[in-house]
Each structure stands twice: as C-alpha cells, then as structure tokens.
Amino acid sequence: MKKLPVIIYLALTMVTFTSCKNENKESGEKEVAEVKVQQDEDFRPNFHFTPKENWMNDPNGMFFLDGTYHLYFQYYPEDNVWGPMHWGHATSKDMINWEEQPIALFPDEKGYIFSGSAVVDKNNTSGFGKDGKTPVVAIFTYHDATAAEEGKEDYQSQAIAYSLDEGQTWTKYEGNPVLPNPGMIDFRDPKVIWDKKNNQWLMALATREKSLFYSSPNLKDWKKLSEFGENTGAHDGVWECPDLFPMTVEGTNETRWVLIQSLNPGGYNGGSGTQYFVGDWDGKKFTPVEGMKSLEEKHPFWIDFGRDNYAGVTWSNIPDEDGRKLFLGWMSNWLYGQEVPTETWRSAMTIARELKLIKEDGKYLITSEPVKELEKYREESITKKDLAVSGNYVVLDSSEIDLAKAEIRFKIEDLKKTTYNFRLSNSSGEEFIVSYDHAQKQFTVNRSHAGKNDFSEKFAADNSTAPRIADSDELNAILLIDKTSIEMFFDDGKTVITEIFFPSQPWDEFSFTSGIENFQVSSLEAFELNFDQ
Ligand code: FRU
C-alpha cells in the first residue's frame, strides 16, 4: 500500500471570497485560479480518458454489453490525490470517446472500494437476476482503512455488488464479504472470468509476492485452487491487479493462458509496471511455459516497458464474433502520479489496445496495438518517403499537423549498428527524445527537458529504457501523440513504451536526428486525429 500525503486542495471551482476588504487580493487570487484552470485544460488530453475533476487511478470493472463499453476506475471525488476510493464510471461506444457517468460505488462502513472487475452473469448463477434482467456483477476489494491503521492484518477482503440496469446503478450484496481475509496483508484486486472449459467462475487475486486463484459456481462461494508467482518473474514490489485468461496463438488453434501481473514498485524502469506470463491452466493450476520461469537478471516480459502504463486489465464479455482481447491501463506511475502538474483533475488512461499472443521461434509473446476504432478519427494524412537524415531533419511541423492529436507511423529498413533518434520539440526549447541503439538493441527515452518536471525528482531524473524484442533489420513504429503523452508501438507492438510529459508549449516539430552516422527513413505516414465528429 502507498503511504499517501493528504494535502488540502484548493477547490478552484468553488473559490468563495468571503471578505470584501481586500479587493485587489481577491481579484489577484481569482486570476491565479483562472490561470491554473486554463493550464490544467491545456494539459488535458484530446483523446485519452480523464475524469472531469479530481483523482483517478486504476481501471476497474471493464465489461461490454449491448454496444457499450464500460470503464470504471479508482476515483476520489473530493481531492486531487488518492483518498477513500470509489468506483467512478465512464461509457463509450468505441473505447475512444468516453462519457463520464455518475459514481458507481461509494465507500461504506466496510471500507473503501478498491480495484476489481465485473462480469455479465448471463446464466444468473448468482441469482441476482430479476424479471428476466441479466445481472452484471462487480467483484471488488473492501479496504478497511481503520483496521489498517490499527495495525490489523486482515483489512482487505473481497465483496460483490450487482446491477440490473447495465452497470448504471449497483446494489451491494448483503452477504459481503464473499471472500474474507485469511490473515494476509495485501489481499486484493479480484479479476474474475468465466472459465468455459472448466465450467467455473475463476478469480485471480494478488497478494504481495504472488497471485492466488479461486473458483466459484455462483460468484458468492469461493474456493481456493492454487497460487502462482513466488520465485517467478519480477518481485521488487507488491503484486497487484492480476488478470488470467486464455488466448489463441495468432494463426493457430493453440490455446495458452496468459497472466497479466502488475507490480509496484519493481517495474522495468522502477516504479509501477505490468509484467506477464504465458502458460497453461488445467482448471486448478497455472504453469508457465518454459522460458517464462526464469529468475534471471531481469524479467523480460512486460505489457509496456514505459513508465506510464499501470494496473491495466482486459475487458470482459467481448462477443465471440469480435474475439479481441482488449486492454487499457492507468497512464501514470505511483512514483509521481499524485504530483503531476494538473490540479483540477489528475491522471489519464492509456488508449484501449488489442492484445495478441504470438509464437515466434518457439517463444510466446504478447503484442499490443491501438484498437482499430481509432482509425475512424483519422483526418489529414501526410505521406513521406525515403527521408535522408543527416543532423536534425524536421519531418512534420505544427502548420501541417497538430502534434497534440497525431498518429505517426514510420518504417526504417536495413538497420545499421548505429543510433536512430526522433524527437518532439517546441519553441520554448523543450524536447522529448527517443533513441534506438541497434548495436545494443535498446530504446532510450529522455524526458528531462520535455517541459515541467520539477514537481517530482523521480519523474525525469533518469532516462527510461526498453529492449527491442523483435529480431529483424526492419523497424516499424506507431506513435500516438496527445497533449501530455506518447504511446509508442514498435515492431507490430512487440515493444511498447508509454510515457507522459508536460511541455509548457505544444510540440511544434517532429524530427529525426542522426548521431555519428546518417540514416534513412523508408516511409512515414502521419494523421491528424479529429475528435469533433
Ligand atoms: C494499484 C492499487 C491496487 C488497489 C488500488 C487502490 O494501483 O494499489 O492494488 O486496489 O490501487 O486505489
């Protein structure tokens, strides 16, 4: 658990001036407040979900029903830092354009509402269905803050709530908790799926060093099946937000099971991060395939190597005809998430992504790419070919494309053992630089001069790095650039890097920069994305 500073937040929208004695002071304060609100709006993403006001962290309870994608999220509606958790709610027809809904779950005498999941209980196994209405059941963690403060160990337990109006309003089950704490500090984040083959509800739950698996016939009675994770994977922190599900290997009929497992700290670049394992599930036990088990130097399997994608999980109830595994994460990091320079709202979600399981040279790998729904927002398109990069080559500037809502795709063929750089820069001299060193097969991200960073020492002091997973001499990239974030998908999503930044002016140039050796970019396509449709 995080130790959280409670700061009193200047409620900008509610500033009431009680005294008329000092009108100058009053108007000065108002101006400051207005400037801050404006600055917050300047930082508010164009196409990533943010709450209208206040604090958000993990995505929760994501499910799809009757044409609508639901996204719940850890939410504290009274402050811009973490506090007593609620489930906020947003809905979308395409996972891109989100509409915030009323708060779904409020904390109560049993505790705060921590992360969890939601399932559509089509067969009414829970018995919550009424008058032919299908229940949606949310499974979440109760966090009893008072018990935690008193030093008790059993302050987290699992509970359920149901909705008979497609996720708009919820009733908590009177028999809660459905899974009491067995005496474990950190016992949370239930992710439930229907395990078709074994005819059971299956829950993955995180505790410190491992994931625990439980089964249930009715979402109310849970039985422990097994544990996974001690001595496997990355461990320099607490395991949180697991997600266990089957996937078909692309282009085959082979099914394997994937466990997505966030941990904090201990991510690839320190701080928060999300690793994964590929393996088999026999109805009781998860066994990773060879090569996943290693306790070697650094766990190599990460959903995203960047610093800003955490606690992501997948949507439930995606129809078979669609068949995609759809994922979204919290685009921040516990290292500095509560200090980023926005005050009226804090944190965004990543773009929704499609995960794929591939097998290459006998090795399993999860790839991710932006969902195809984003394509319908493409407008202007610019195509360039055979760019000879020598020094700084400005490829795109803001007169051609708005770099605060852009998708850029490029390809470099015939990679040499040299360093390839690209950067975003602005007229204030700020720059965000990404380098790919083909000799080391490593990406490096430098955001130390990318705008505001004095809010936390941990934000930009170091560069982040990511290994290139693909083994080919052709690099392809998709970059999604919003006002305060970039998501980079290299090699058809084999290496993904998500990072946030806070430039004091919008980026006005995108360039490639050569180091010792010049290089050639074979092709580039850029789209301005338009969300005013
Ligand atoms: C992950 C996490 C979860 C917990 C929630 C509390 O970011 O720590 O483990 O349920 O946030 O807000």
Side-chain angles (χ1 to χ4, degrees):
M1 274 303 305
K2 303 153 282 292
K3 281 276 164 240
L4 298 148
V6 179
I7 66 159
I8 309 289
Y9 153 56
L10 171 67
L12 295 166
T13 47
M14 299 186 298
V15 173
T16 50
F17 298 102
T18 47
S19 160
C20 299
K21 281 184 202 149
N22 189 340
E23 279 182 17
N24 282 344
K25 184 168 172 252
E26 194 177 280
S27 66
E29 280 175 6
K30 204 169 164 197
E31 262 167 40
V32 170
E34 276 165 10
V35 168
K36 282 198 165 161
V37 169
Q38 186 51 49
Q39 190 182 53
D40 282 4
E41 289 316 304
D42 290 346
F43 283 152
R44 195 189 283 280
N46 280 317
F47 59 102
H48 289 84
F49 177 72
T50 54
K52 283 197 187 76
E53 288 180 342
N54 287 317
W55 173 260
M56 172 178 83
N57 55 288
D58 315 359
N60 296 149
M62 288 143 59
F63 72 92
F64 174 82
L65 188 59
D66 290 343
T68 301
Y69 294 89
H70 292 261
L71 163 66
Y72 299 83
F73 49 89
Q74 287 287 277
Y75 188 46
Y76 185 38
E78 281 159 42
D79 206 342
N80 62 1
V81 287
W82 190 90
M85 285 286 112
H86 300 53
W87 273 24
H89 184 202
T91 53
S92 172
K93 295 286 174 203
D94 61 5
M95 294 173 282
I96 307 291
N97 187 3
W98 291 100
E99 207 174 307
E100 195 168 340
Q101 303 290 340
I103 292 175
L105 289 170
F106 289 79
D108 58 41
E109 69 292 345
K110 293 197 176 87
Y112 303 171
I113 314 293
F114 269 21
S115 288
S117 49
V119 292
V120 178
D121 183 14
K122 288 181 198 135
N123 297 322
N124 196 20
T125 61
S126 60
F128 291 136
K130 233 187 6 208
D131 306 330
K133 284 188 197 140
T134 304
V136 183
V137 180
I139 309 94
F140 59 89
T141 299
Y142 262 130
H143 173 86
D144 182 344
T146 318
E149 272 159 31
E150 286 166 359
K152 297 200 176 119
E153 297 202 334
D154 59 353
Y155 53 85
Q156 293 182 340
S157 58
Q158 318 319 318
I160 56 178
Y162 63 93
S163 170
L164 295 177
D165 58 3
E166 308 207 342
Q168 278 308 116
T169 60
W170 296 83
T171 307
K172 289 172 187 147
Y173 174 47
E174 73 277 3
N176 281 336
V178 290
L179 179 51
N181 187 298
M184 288 177 169
I185 298 178
D186 296 321
F187 182 69
R188 59 176 179 268
D189 308 338
K191 178 72 166 78
V192 174
I193 63 159
W194 176 248
D195 175 3
K196 225 190 252 172
K197 192 159 160 228
N198 302 291
N199 213 28
Q200 60 185 358
W201 293 109
L202 171 61
M203 178 198 291
L205 193 68
T207 178
R208 294 246 149 147
E209 294 282 290
K210 55 196 175 195
S211 264
L212 310 174
F213 305 119
Y214 294 80
S215 71
S216 172
N218 56 11
L219 299 163
K220 293 172 177 162
D221 303 300
W222 292 94
K223 185 177 90 190
K224 186 167 169 196
L225 298 172
S226 59
E227 308 185 340
F228 167 78
E230 249 171 332
N231 307 323
T232 306
H235 275 285
D236 289 339
V238 175
W239 280 25
E240 303 182 314
C241 303
D243 190 2
L244 176 68
F245 50 84
M247 280 186 97
T248 306
V249 179
E250 284 298 296
T252 74
N253 293 323
E254 182 186 346
T255 299
R256 296 283 178 180
W257 284 64
V258 173
L259 175 66
I260 291 182
Q261 184 61 68
S262 285
L263 89 156
N264 179 61
Y268 191 81
N269 283 289
S272 317
T274 304
Q275 59 184 325
Y276 68 86
F277 305 89
V278 180
D280 291 312
W281 174 251
D282 65 3
K284 288 201 168 94
K285 198 168 175 288
F286 178 74
T287 312
V289 296
E290 271 315 300
M292 288 274 156
K293 263 190 172 158
S294 58
L295 249 191
E296 82 217 24
E297 330 82 66
K298 224 171 176 182
H299 180 74
F301 304 104
W302 297 84
I303 288 286
D304 194 313
F305 288 89
R307 287 175 276 202
D308 296 298
N309 182 354
Y310 190 59
V313 286
T314 58
W315 257 278
S316 71
N317 206 42
I318 299 299
D320 287 345
E321 324 70 272
D322 180 323
R324 288 178 296 172
K325 267 288 155 206
L326 300 167
F327 168 100
L328 167 149
W330 175 47
M331 196 153 60
S332 195
N333 192 312
W334 284 114
L335 284 178
Y336 44 74
Q338 299 183 85
E339 285 136 44
V340 296
T342 59
E343 301 217 6
T344 44
W345 61 275
R346 269 217 181 110
S347 303
M349 294 298 182
T350 67
I351 202 79
R353 300 169 183 190
E354 179 180 357
L355 304 183
K356 288 184 178 160
L357 176 60
I358 61 167
K359 190 176 179 184
E360 266 183 11
D361 305 327
K363 286 194 200 128
Y364 296 90
L365 203 64
I366 299 283
T367 65
S368 48
E369 290 200 304
V371 290
K372 63 175 189 306
E373 283 81 347
L374 187 63
E375 289 172 16
K376 73 170 196 278
Y377 294 95
R378 288 174 177 172
E379 210 162 58
E380 302 297 315
S381 135
I382 299 167
T383 307
K384 307 208 174 188
K385 284 214 170 333
D386 301 326
L387 310 172
V389 180
S390 159
N392 192 54
Y393 185 124
V394 179
V395 191
L396 299 163
D397 70 43
S398 50
S399 65
E400 296 169 285
I401 187 168
D402 183 346
L403 290 166
K405 43 178 179 170
E407 173 183 346
I408 301 174
R409 295 179 171 242
F410 67 82
K411 200 191 312 175
I412 299 175
E413 288 166 349
D414 207 6
L415 289 167
K416 309 264 179 328
K417 288 202 166 153
T418 183
T419 302
Y420 299 80
N421 310 293
F422 62 85
R423 63 184 198 123
L424 291 160
S425 54
N426 64 19
S427 49
S428 302
E430 294 164 348
E431 56 181 3
F432 174 85
I433 310 165
V434 180
S435 310
Y436 172 60
D437 175 346
H438 190 53
Q440 302 296 327
K441 295 195 72 195
Q442 178 171 278
F443 296 93
T444 302
V445 177
N446 180 340
R447 63 180 176 190
S448 61
H449 296 99
K452 278 190 185 298
N453 62 20
D454 57 357
F455 52 88
S456 163
E457 280 171 6
K458 297 180 183 132
F459 183 71
D462 300 318
N463 294 339
S464 68
T465 63
R468 178 157 186 247
I469 308 283
D471 188 18
S472 82
D473 63 1
E474 182 180 310
L475 176 80
N476 66 57
I478 304 173
L479 313 179
L480 293 186
I481 308 167
D482 204 327
K483 284 192 223 166
T484 42
S485 64
I486 184 165
E487 291 161 279
M488 302 179 262
F489 305 85
F490 295 105
D491 300 310
D492 306 315
K494 288 179 188 154
T495 298
V496 180
I497 306 174
T498 300
E499 299 253 335
I500 55 174
F501 40 57
F502 300 92
S504 50
Q505 302 284 323
W507 300 124
D508 38 41
E509 286 180 354
F510 173 83
S511 19
F512 286 103
T513 315
S514 59
I516 295 163
E517 276 187 61
N518 297 339
F519 62 84
Q520 177 115 356
V521 177
S522 330
S523 61
L524 178 138
E525 204 176 7
F527 303 93
E528 183 164 312
L529 303 168
N530 176 6
F531 300 94
D532 306 323
Q533 304 169 357

Short mmCIF file of all heavy atoms in Angstrom, two decimals, residues 1-2 4 55 57-60 74-75 82-83 85-86 112-116 141 143 156 186 188-190 206 238-241 262 264 272 310-311 330 334, ligand 1:
data_model
loop_
_atom_site.label_atom_id
_atom_site.label_comp_id
_atom_site.label_asym_id
_atom_site.label_seq_id
_atom_site.Cartn_x
_atom_site.Cartn_y
_atom_site.Cartn_z
N MET A 1 0.83 -1.20 0.00
CA MET A 1 0.00 0.00 0.00
C MET A 1 0.86 1.25 0.00
O MET A 1 1.92 1.30 0.58
CB MET A 1 -0.87 0.02 1.25
CG MET A 1 -2.15 -0.73 1.07
SD MET A 1 -3.09 -0.12 -0.32
CE MET A 1 -3.20 1.59 0.10
N LYS A 2 0.34 2.23 -0.63
CA LYS A 2 1.03 3.50 -0.70
C LYS A 2 0.80 4.29 0.58
O LYS A 2 -0.27 4.24 1.14
CB LYS A 2 0.46 4.31 -1.87
CG LYS A 2 0.56 3.56 -3.14
CD LYS A 2 -0.50 3.97 -4.12
CE LYS A 2 -1.86 3.37 -3.85
NZ LYS A 2 -2.00 1.97 -4.05
N LEU A 4 0.12 7.79 1.75
CA LEU A 4 -0.33 8.92 0.94
C LEU A 4 -0.43 10.22 1.71
O LEU A 4 -1.09 10.28 2.74
CB LEU A 4 -1.68 8.56 0.35
CG LEU A 4 -1.52 7.36 -0.55
CD1 LEU A 4 -2.75 6.52 -0.54
CD2 LEU A 4 -1.15 7.79 -1.93
N TRP A 55 -9.15 13.01 -8.53
CA TRP A 55 -8.16 11.93 -8.63
C TRP A 55 -8.69 10.63 -9.23
O TRP A 55 -9.75 10.13 -8.83
CB TRP A 55 -7.62 11.62 -7.24
CG TRP A 55 -6.75 10.41 -7.24
CD1 TRP A 55 -7.09 9.15 -6.85
CD2 TRP A 55 -5.40 10.34 -7.68
NE1 TRP A 55 -6.02 8.29 -7.01
CE2 TRP A 55 -4.96 9.00 -7.53
CE3 TRP A 55 -4.49 11.28 -8.21
CZ2 TRP A 55 -3.68 8.57 -7.87
CZ3 TRP A 55 -3.22 10.85 -8.55
CH2 TRP A 55 -2.82 9.51 -8.38
N ASN A 57 -7.11 6.56 -10.36
CA ASN A 57 -6.04 5.61 -10.69
C ASN A 57 -6.60 4.41 -11.44
O ASN A 57 -7.28 4.63 -12.46
CB ASN A 57 -5.11 5.28 -9.51
CG ASN A 57 -5.73 4.77 -8.24
OD1 ASN A 57 -6.37 5.51 -7.52
ND2 ASN A 57 -5.54 3.51 -7.93
N ASP A 58 -6.36 3.19 -11.03
CA ASP A 58 -6.60 2.00 -11.87
C ASP A 58 -7.94 1.93 -12.61
O ASP A 58 -8.97 2.27 -12.03
CB ASP A 58 -6.60 0.73 -11.01
CG ASP A 58 -5.49 0.65 -10.01
OD1 ASP A 58 -4.67 1.56 -9.96
OD2 ASP A 58 -5.46 -0.35 -9.28
N PRO A 59 -7.91 1.34 -13.82
CA PRO A 59 -9.18 0.96 -14.46
C PRO A 59 -9.78 -0.22 -13.70
O PRO A 59 -9.05 -1.08 -13.19
CB PRO A 59 -8.76 0.52 -15.86
CG PRO A 59 -7.32 0.14 -15.74
CD PRO A 59 -6.75 0.98 -14.63
N ASN A 60 -11.07 -0.27 -13.60
CA ASN A 60 -11.78 -1.34 -12.87
C ASN A 60 -12.99 -1.80 -13.65
O ASN A 60 -13.54 -1.04 -14.46
CB ASN A 60 -12.32 -0.82 -11.51
CG ASN A 60 -11.25 -0.39 -10.53
OD1 ASN A 60 -11.46 0.50 -9.73
ND2 ASN A 60 -10.08 -1.00 -10.59
N GLN A 74 -10.71 3.65 -10.20
CA GLN A 74 -10.44 4.08 -8.83
C GLN A 74 -10.56 5.60 -8.82
O GLN A 74 -9.86 6.30 -9.58
CB GLN A 74 -9.03 3.64 -8.42
CG GLN A 74 -8.92 2.15 -8.19
CD GLN A 74 -9.59 1.75 -6.89
OE1 GLN A 74 -9.02 1.85 -5.83
NE2 GLN A 74 -10.83 1.29 -6.97
N TYR A 75 -11.41 6.10 -7.95
CA TYR A 75 -11.73 7.51 -8.02
C TYR A 75 -11.89 8.10 -6.62
O TYR A 75 -12.52 7.50 -5.75
CB TYR A 75 -13.06 7.67 -8.79
CG TYR A 75 -13.44 9.10 -9.09
CD1 TYR A 75 -12.50 9.99 -9.60
CD2 TYR A 75 -14.73 9.55 -8.88
CE1 TYR A 75 -12.85 11.30 -9.88
CE2 TYR A 75 -15.10 10.86 -9.18
CZ TYR A 75 -14.14 11.73 -9.67
OH TYR A 75 -14.48 13.02 -9.94
N TRP A 82 -4.85 10.61 -4.01
CA TRP A 82 -5.53 9.38 -3.59
C TRP A 82 -6.22 9.58 -2.25
O TRP A 82 -5.71 10.28 -1.37
CB TRP A 82 -4.46 8.28 -3.50
CG TRP A 82 -5.00 6.90 -3.33
CD1 TRP A 82 -5.32 6.03 -4.31
CD2 TRP A 82 -5.25 6.22 -2.09
NE1 TRP A 82 -5.76 4.84 -3.76
CE2 TRP A 82 -5.73 4.94 -2.40
CE3 TRP A 82 -5.13 6.58 -0.75
CZ2 TRP A 82 -6.08 4.00 -1.43
CZ3 TRP A 82 -5.48 5.65 0.23
CH2 TRP A 82 -5.95 4.38 -0.12
N GLY A 83 -7.36 8.97 -2.06
CA GLY A 83 -8.10 9.06 -0.79
C GLY A 83 -9.11 7.92 -0.75
O GLY A 83 -8.96 6.94 -1.48
N MET A 85 -11.43 5.41 -1.64
CA MET A 85 -11.72 5.06 -3.03
C MET A 85 -13.17 4.74 -3.33
O MET A 85 -13.84 4.03 -2.57
CB MET A 85 -10.86 3.86 -3.44
CG MET A 85 -9.42 4.23 -3.68
SD MET A 85 -9.21 5.13 -5.23
CE MET A 85 -8.75 6.71 -4.62
N HIS A 86 -13.62 5.26 -4.47
CA HIS A 86 -14.92 4.99 -5.06
C HIS A 86 -14.65 4.30 -6.41
O HIS A 86 -13.52 4.28 -6.87
CB HIS A 86 -15.64 6.29 -5.39
CG HIS A 86 -15.91 7.19 -4.22
ND1 HIS A 86 -14.94 7.61 -3.34
CD2 HIS A 86 -17.06 7.80 -3.84
CE1 HIS A 86 -15.49 8.42 -2.44
NE2 HIS A 86 -16.77 8.55 -2.72
N TYR A 112 -13.14 1.21 1.93
CA TYR A 112 -13.02 1.85 0.62
C TYR A 112 -13.26 0.79 -0.44
O TYR A 112 -13.06 -0.40 -0.19
CB TYR A 112 -11.62 2.41 0.41
CG TYR A 112 -11.11 3.40 1.42
CD1 TYR A 112 -9.77 3.80 1.39
CD2 TYR A 112 -11.94 3.95 2.40
CE1 TYR A 112 -9.26 4.71 2.30
CE2 TYR A 112 -11.43 4.87 3.32
CZ TYR A 112 -10.11 5.24 3.27
OH TYR A 112 -9.60 6.15 4.17
N ILE A 113 -13.60 1.24 -1.65
CA ILE A 113 -13.82 0.29 -2.75
C ILE A 113 -12.57 0.26 -3.62
O ILE A 113 -12.34 1.16 -4.43
CB ILE A 113 -15.04 0.71 -3.60
CG1 ILE A 113 -16.25 1.09 -2.73
CG2 ILE A 113 -15.40 -0.41 -4.59
CD1 ILE A 113 -16.86 -0.03 -1.93
N PHE A 114 -11.78 -0.76 -3.45
CA PHE A 114 -10.53 -0.89 -4.21
C PHE A 114 -10.80 -1.58 -5.56
O PHE A 114 -11.92 -1.93 -5.90
CB PHE A 114 -9.51 -1.67 -3.38
CG PHE A 114 -8.63 -0.80 -2.52
CD1 PHE A 114 -9.02 0.48 -2.16
CD2 PHE A 114 -7.41 -1.27 -2.06
CE1 PHE A 114 -8.20 1.28 -1.37
CE2 PHE A 114 -6.58 -0.48 -1.27
CZ PHE A 114 -6.97 0.79 -0.92
N SER A 115 -9.70 -1.83 -6.27
CA SER A 115 -9.82 -2.34 -7.64
C SER A 115 -10.48 -3.71 -7.73
O SER A 115 -10.43 -4.51 -6.79
CB SER A 115 -8.43 -2.43 -8.28
OG SER A 115 -8.00 -1.13 -8.55
N GLY A 116 -11.06 -3.98 -8.88
CA GLY A 116 -11.73 -5.24 -9.12
C GLY A 116 -12.29 -5.28 -10.53
O GLY A 116 -11.93 -4.46 -11.38
N THR A 141 -12.43 -5.19 -3.97
CA THR A 141 -11.82 -5.34 -2.65
C THR A 141 -12.35 -4.26 -1.72
O THR A 141 -12.38 -3.08 -2.09
CB THR A 141 -10.28 -5.21 -2.75
OG1 THR A 141 -9.80 -6.25 -3.60
CG2 THR A 141 -9.62 -5.31 -1.39
N HIS A 143 -11.37 -2.22 1.41
CA HIS A 143 -10.16 -1.87 2.15
C HIS A 143 -10.61 -1.14 3.41
O HIS A 143 -11.11 -0.01 3.34
CB HIS A 143 -9.26 -0.97 1.29
CG HIS A 143 -8.09 -0.42 2.02
ND1 HIS A 143 -6.90 -1.11 2.14
CD2 HIS A 143 -7.92 0.74 2.70
CE1 HIS A 143 -6.05 -0.38 2.85
NE2 HIS A 143 -6.65 0.75 3.20
N GLN A 156 -8.21 -6.28 4.18
CA GLN A 156 -8.72 -6.32 2.80
C GLN A 156 -9.47 -7.63 2.56
O GLN A 156 -8.99 -8.70 2.95
CB GLN A 156 -7.57 -6.16 1.80
CG GLN A 156 -6.95 -4.77 1.89
CD GLN A 156 -5.83 -4.51 0.90
OE1 GLN A 156 -5.23 -5.44 0.37
NE2 GLN A 156 -5.55 -3.24 0.67
N ASP A 186 -2.22 -7.17 2.18
CA ASP A 186 -2.27 -7.11 0.71
C ASP A 186 -2.98 -8.35 0.17
O ASP A 186 -2.39 -9.40 -0.02
CB ASP A 186 -0.85 -7.04 0.09
CG ASP A 186 -0.13 -5.77 0.47
OD1 ASP A 186 -0.79 -4.72 0.51
OD2 ASP A 186 1.08 -5.84 0.74
N ARG A 188 -5.84 -8.44 -2.59
CA ARG A 188 -6.76 -7.55 -3.31
C ARG A 188 -6.78 -7.72 -4.84
O ARG A 188 -6.01 -8.45 -5.42
CB ARG A 188 -6.42 -6.09 -2.98
CG ARG A 188 -5.01 -5.66 -3.33
CD ARG A 188 -4.86 -4.17 -3.03
NE ARG A 188 -3.53 -3.68 -3.31
CZ ARG A 188 -2.56 -3.63 -2.41
NH1 ARG A 188 -2.75 -4.04 -1.19
NH2 ARG A 188 -1.37 -3.15 -2.75
N ASP A 189 -7.66 -6.93 -5.43
CA ASP A 189 -7.80 -6.73 -6.88
C ASP A 189 -8.33 -7.96 -7.61
O ASP A 189 -7.69 -8.46 -8.56
CB ASP A 189 -6.46 -6.25 -7.50
CG ASP A 189 -5.88 -5.04 -6.78
OD1 ASP A 189 -6.67 -4.33 -6.12
OD2 ASP A 189 -4.67 -4.81 -6.87
N PRO A 190 -9.50 -8.45 -7.22
CA PRO A 190 -10.05 -9.66 -7.85
C PRO A 190 -10.42 -9.43 -9.32
O PRO A 190 -11.12 -8.47 -9.64
CB PRO A 190 -11.31 -9.95 -7.02
CG PRO A 190 -11.71 -8.62 -6.46
CD PRO A 190 -10.43 -7.88 -6.22
N ALA A 206 -4.39 -10.78 -6.03
CA ALA A 206 -2.96 -10.57 -5.77
C ALA A 206 -2.67 -10.45 -4.28
O ALA A 206 -3.46 -9.88 -3.53
CB ALA A 206 -2.51 -9.30 -6.47
N VAL A 238 5.07 -5.04 -4.62
CA VAL A 238 3.87 -5.80 -4.29
C VAL A 238 3.12 -6.14 -5.58
O VAL A 238 2.91 -5.26 -6.43
CB VAL A 238 2.96 -4.98 -3.36
CG1 VAL A 238 1.64 -5.69 -3.09
CG2 VAL A 238 3.68 -4.69 -2.06
N TRP A 239 2.74 -7.40 -5.73
CA TRP A 239 1.94 -7.78 -6.89
C TRP A 239 0.52 -7.25 -6.72
O TRP A 239 -0.09 -7.41 -5.63
CB TRP A 239 1.92 -9.32 -7.04
CG TRP A 239 3.17 -9.86 -7.68
CD1 TRP A 239 4.40 -9.27 -7.68
CD2 TRP A 239 3.30 -11.09 -8.41
NE1 TRP A 239 5.30 -10.06 -8.37
CE2 TRP A 239 4.65 -11.18 -8.82
CE3 TRP A 239 2.41 -12.11 -8.75
CZ2 TRP A 239 5.13 -12.27 -9.57
CZ3 TRP A 239 2.90 -13.19 -9.49
CH2 TRP A 239 4.24 -13.26 -9.89
N GLU A 240 0.00 -6.65 -7.79
CA GLU A 240 -1.34 -6.07 -7.75
C GLU A 240 -2.03 -6.34 -9.09
O GLU A 240 -1.38 -6.60 -10.10
CB GLU A 240 -1.26 -4.54 -7.54
CG GLU A 240 -0.52 -4.12 -6.29
CD GLU A 240 -0.49 -2.60 -6.06
OE1 GLU A 240 -0.22 -1.85 -7.02
OE2 GLU A 240 -0.75 -2.18 -4.93
N CYS A 241 -3.34 -6.24 -9.10
CA CYS A 241 -4.12 -6.26 -10.33
C CYS A 241 -3.77 -7.37 -11.33
O CYS A 241 -3.33 -7.09 -12.45
CB CYS A 241 -4.02 -4.91 -11.04
SG CYS A 241 -4.56 -3.54 -10.00
N SER A 262 0.56 -6.82 -12.58
CA SER A 262 1.19 -5.55 -12.26
C SER A 262 1.98 -5.68 -10.96
O SER A 262 1.65 -6.53 -10.11
CB SER A 262 0.12 -4.47 -12.09
OG SER A 262 -0.37 -4.09 -13.36
N ASN A 264 4.25 -3.04 -8.01
CA ASN A 264 4.67 -1.70 -7.63
C ASN A 264 5.35 -1.72 -6.26
O ASN A 264 4.76 -2.21 -5.31
CB ASN A 264 3.43 -0.79 -7.54
CG ASN A 264 3.80 0.60 -7.12
OD1 ASN A 264 4.56 1.27 -7.79
ND2 ASN A 264 3.32 1.04 -5.96
N SER A 272 6.04 1.68 -11.00
CA SER A 272 4.94 0.78 -11.33
C SER A 272 5.13 0.18 -12.72
O SER A 272 5.53 0.88 -13.65
CB SER A 272 3.62 1.56 -11.31
OG SER A 272 3.56 2.44 -10.21
N TYR A 310 0.02 1.37 -16.01
CA TYR A 310 -0.03 0.53 -14.82
C TYR A 310 -1.45 0.01 -14.57
O TYR A 310 -2.43 0.64 -14.96
CB TYR A 310 0.44 1.32 -13.58
CG TYR A 310 0.63 0.40 -12.40
CD1 TYR A 310 1.51 -0.67 -12.47
CD2 TYR A 310 -0.09 0.58 -11.22
CE1 TYR A 310 1.67 -1.54 -11.41
CE2 TYR A 310 0.07 -0.29 -10.14
CZ TYR A 310 0.95 -1.35 -10.25
OH TYR A 310 1.10 -2.22 -9.21
N ALA A 311 -1.49 -1.15 -13.90
CA ALA A 311 -2.74 -1.72 -13.38
C ALA A 311 -3.74 -2.04 -14.49
O ALA A 311 -4.94 -2.14 -14.23
CB ALA A 311 -3.38 -0.78 -12.35
N TRP A 330 -3.77 2.45 -16.54
CA TRP A 330 -3.68 3.80 -15.93
C TRP A 330 -2.38 4.42 -16.43
O TRP A 330 -1.31 3.83 -16.25
CB TRP A 330 -3.67 3.65 -14.41
CG TRP A 330 -3.46 4.92 -13.65
CD1 TRP A 330 -4.09 6.11 -13.84
CD2 TRP A 330 -2.56 5.11 -12.53
NE1 TRP A 330 -3.64 7.03 -12.91
CE2 TRP A 330 -2.71 6.44 -12.11
CE3 TRP A 330 -1.66 4.28 -11.86
CZ2 TRP A 330 -1.99 6.98 -11.03
CZ3 TRP A 330 -0.94 4.82 -10.79
CH2 TRP A 330 -1.10 6.14 -10.38
N TRP A 334 2.97 5.32 -9.67
CA TRP A 334 2.88 5.71 -8.26
C TRP A 334 4.08 6.51 -7.80
O TRP A 334 4.03 7.16 -6.75
CB TRP A 334 2.67 4.49 -7.36
CG TRP A 334 1.26 3.98 -7.42
CD1 TRP A 334 0.84 2.78 -7.91
CD2 TRP A 334 0.08 4.67 -6.99
NE1 TRP A 334 -0.53 2.68 -7.81
CE2 TRP A 334 -1.02 3.82 -7.25
CE3 TRP A 334 -0.16 5.92 -6.42
CZ2 TRP A 334 -2.34 4.19 -6.95
CZ3 TRP A 334 -1.47 6.28 -6.12
CH2 TRP A 334 -2.54 5.43 -6.39
C1 FRU B 1 -2.95 -0.35 -7.77
C2 FRU B 1 -3.68 -0.29 -6.44
C3 FRU B 1 -4.49 -1.55 -6.23
C4 FRU B 1 -5.55 -1.08 -5.28
C5 FRU B 1 -5.81 0.32 -5.76
C6 FRU B 1 -6.15 1.28 -4.67
O1 FRU B 1 -2.62 0.88 -8.29
O2 FRU B 1 -2.75 -0.09 -5.40
O3 FRU B 1 -3.75 -2.63 -5.75
O4 FRU B 1 -6.70 -1.87 -5.33
O5 FRU B 1 -4.63 0.75 -6.40
O6 FRU B 1 -6.54 2.51 -5.20
#
